[in-house]
Amino acid sequence: MHRQSRQNDNGDVWMPNTYTLEVRMYQDIDDYDIIQWNGKDYTILSIQIDRPLMCKRLEISQKNE
């Protein structure tokens, strides 16, 4: 888990959580997908492909709702 500085979304100040998540290479994932994990929604910040390990490394951030 990575922490970022506070964000101000429409007057709401909150501390977003960012995580790195690895999935198998064959998973059909693109930049605009929403990840649902542990009952919360996350947006994808970046996708890195690791061919030797056959995985995609996703940098995700919790959505403020």
Side-chain angles (χ1 to χ4, degrees):
M1 176 174 76
H2 309 284
R3 287 252 184 222
Q4 293 181 348
S5 62
R6 292 183 293 170
Q7 287 187 349
N8 186 345
D9 292 336
N10 298 326
D12 294 334
V13 176
W14 68 295
M15 299 291 285
N17 292 328
T18 60
Y19 299 94
T20 301
L21 183 67
E22 290 185 359
V23 297
R24 293 287 185 188
M25 186 83 129
Y26 59 81
Q27 295 294 324
D28 186 24
I29 296 175
D30 59 24
D31 294 337
Y32 301 105
D33 288 340
I34 302 296
I35 305 292
Q36 291 181 332
W37 179 47
N38 288 338
K40 297 178 183 169
D41 291 339
Y42 296 85
T43 56
I44 298 174
L45 301 176
S46 68
I47 300 175
Q48 297 175 352
I49 297 175
D50 191 342
R51 295 199 189 280
L53 292 178
M54 296 294 291
C55 73
K56 294 180 183 177
R57 197 165 290 117
L58 311 173
E59 188 78 23
I60 59 175
S61 176
Q62 185 177 352
K63 289 178 67 175
N64 185 18
E65 298 190 26

